[in-house]
Amino acid sequence: MKKVYLHGENTRDIKEVELEATADHGQLVEIFKREFKITEPDGDYIVFLQEDVVFEDGEEIEVKAEIIHRGHYHFHRCKKIHTSVTYNGQTESFDFKPSATGNKVLKTVLKSFKISGNDAAGLILKVNDSLILKATDHIGSFAGHHDCKLSLILAPDKVIQG
Amino acid sequence: MKTMDLLMFEKHVDEFEFQNGIEQGMWGFHLEDPTSTWPLVIIWIQASTTYCAPGRCYLRYKLDSYPQSAPTACPWDIKTDGTLVDADWPKGYLNLNQVFRPGWNRTALYTPFDRVPITDGNHLGWQTQYPEYWWQSSFKITDYLVYLHRLLNT
């Protein structure tokens, strides 16, 4: 048996499932549909492992054939998430694959805004006022296939005082 | 017989988010049998060496009545099996220095996730100021760890 983790589209809910050692991608897709209750798929879903190349090289999809034990699999209709990040009134745009983690996104964003060292300390990415993008979150958990877009705010974390 | 707080703790650490943190090297248990000293549990959190020289910050959590009551934690010296000396507490930038404050209390952290400040009667304003961090019985140990991991790695 192999254990894998399933990440759906526009949901933070992560499913942990076991499947036969000989299972293939077709069976994985069926499990995805069952777990995320997708009865009539609208649009083309792609299934890929966390580390798979999804949209580089002219949007070719390179997906490993073998199901990896303890692998993180994503089931998404967006090959990339068009992400805008606003910081101090300035907005920059990025494209991330749905499996990009909050940690990777933050690093990319800080580099793009040329923020480093002490200036970067305490900065966080927010999906909205009350929802922080955690280091382990996947960006595809916050975007749907209708527009494959996400807007984030780069802001200082609340300082505990008082 | 296991107590309800221990059962709830074991349930929560068996869930995906906690296990994923272990797998990603974000945190882990110090002891092979981490709950052998229940309700005291030592958990390490991976940290930037800028803030915590060894790259790992060990915390001793006190988890009685978990999760109805908030956990309380303090930096722990695994060699001496005692509270870490003040000079070695994580430090670096404003928010981190606010949370890790041995000058305020050497047995707890200054955060709304921690039992000591939210029950000492001096920080009731935090409940409205920091509602996302103010401990609720629906919270899990992972929420506290994710928060500290972010502070220690930003």
Side-chain angles (χ1 to χ4, degrees), chain A:
Chain A
M1 297 292 278
K2 288 178 178 174
K3 182 189 282 186
V4 297
Y5 304 104
L6 309 181
H7 300 260
E9 182 181 292
N10 208 8
T11 172
R12 255 177 156 176
D13 190 17
I14 299 161
K15 313 281 188 184
E16 179 182 319
V17 298
E18 287 193 338
L19 64 174
E20 295 294 333
T22 54
D24 58 21
H25 273 256
Q27 288 164 287
L28 191 59
V29 168
E30 289 310 309
I31 292 170
F32 260 115
K33 287 179 183 172
R34 184 191 72 207
E35 292 292 325
F36 289 101
K37 298 181 173 54
I38 300 164
T39 47
E40 290 180 30
D42 169 21
D44 294 329
Y45 280 90
I46 49 173
V47 179
F48 53 96
L49 187 60
Q50 179 92 6
E51 297 79 15
D52 284 336
V53 177
V54 179
F55 64 86
E56 292 170 3
D57 301 321
E59 302 201 359
E60 286 298 313
I61 305 169
E62 297 172 26
V63 178
K64 291 184 185 73
E66 189 195 351
I67 305 293
I68 308 294
H69 178 56
R70 300 186 78 82
H72 288 251
Y73 285 87
H74 297 257
F75 195 54
H76 222 287
R77 284 168 286 184
C78 304
K79 289 181 180 174
K80 48 190 165 183
I81 309 292
H82 308 290
T83 308
S84 63
V85 181
T86 303
Y87 175 65
N88 272 351
Q90 185 188 346
T91 301
E92 294 205 11
S93 299
F94 307 83
D95 282 340
F96 294 105
K97 60 181 181 178
S99 56
T101 60
N103 190 35
K104 178 189 166 67
V105 172
L106 180 60
K107 280 182 180 171
T108 304
V109 166
L110 290 174
K111 191 174 175 186
S112 177
F113 278 101
K114 297 182 175 60
I115 305 169
S116 60
N118 284 342
D119 294 334
L123 289 178
I124 55 173
L125 284 169
K126 290 176 159 185
V127 179
N128 57 45
D129 274 349
S130 58
L131 184 57
I132 294 169
L133 184 72
K134 294 189 283 189
T136 50
D137 279 332
H138 295 92
I139 203 156
S141 301
F142 304 95
H145 82 291
H146 302 292
D147 55 7
C148 297
K149 281 184 181 172
L150 179 64
S151 298
L152 297 170
I153 303 155
L154 181 66
D157 196 2
K158 287 182 179 175
V159 176
I160 306 299
Q161 53 194 355

Side-chain angles (χ1 to χ4, degrees), chain B residues 1-145:
Chain B
M1 191 174 150
K2 289 182 179 177
T3 53
M4 185 55 74
D5 50 9
L6 174 55
L7 288 170
M8 289 301 291
F9 180 75
E10 287 180 339
K11 178 176 181 287
H12 290 168
V13 301
D14 196 39
E15 290 176 355
F16 170 79
E17 199 171 10
F18 188 92
Q19 290 297 318
N20 188 47
I22 290 179
E23 210 168 285
Q24 305 291 325
M26 295 168 69
W27 52 69
F29 290 118
H30 172 51
L31 297 176
E32 200 172 324
D33 181 4
T35 57
S36 60
T37 51
W38 185 261
L40 304 173
V41 177
I42 299 174
I43 299 175
W44 59 260
I45 300 176
Q46 179 265 329
S48 162
T49 52
T50 308
Y51 309 134
C52 192
R56 267 186 185 188
C57 178
Y58 288 85
L59 295 162
R60 192 195 66 172
Y61 275 90
K62 191 164 182 278
L63 293 151
D64 50 303
S65 300
Y66 173 89
Q68 296 303 320
S69 295
T72 180
C74 66
W76 200 249
D77 187 333
I78 54 169
K79 287 180 187 151
T80 63
D81 200 26
T83 306
L84 198 64
V85 295
D86 296 5
D88 291 341
W89 279 45
K91 52 185 165 295
Y93 63 99
L94 180 60
N95 206 3
L96 184 71
N97 299 344
Q98 283 288 96
V99 172
F100 290 89
R101 287 173 62 181
W104 165 73
N105 189 325
R106 299 187 71 248
T107 65
L109 300 184
Y110 196 71
T111 162
F113 280 104
D114 197 284
R115 184 191 312 174
V116 173
I118 68 173
T119 56
D120 68 4
N122 297 321
H123 305 92
L124 296 177
W126 283 3
Q127 192 164 3
T128 47
Q129 229 176 325
Y130 312 110
E132 65 273 49
Y133 299 148
W134 181 270
W135 184 269
Q136 299 166 45
S137 58
S138 58
F139 280 18
K140 298 173 182 177
I141 188 68
T142 316
D143 296 309
Y144 199 158
L145 294 176

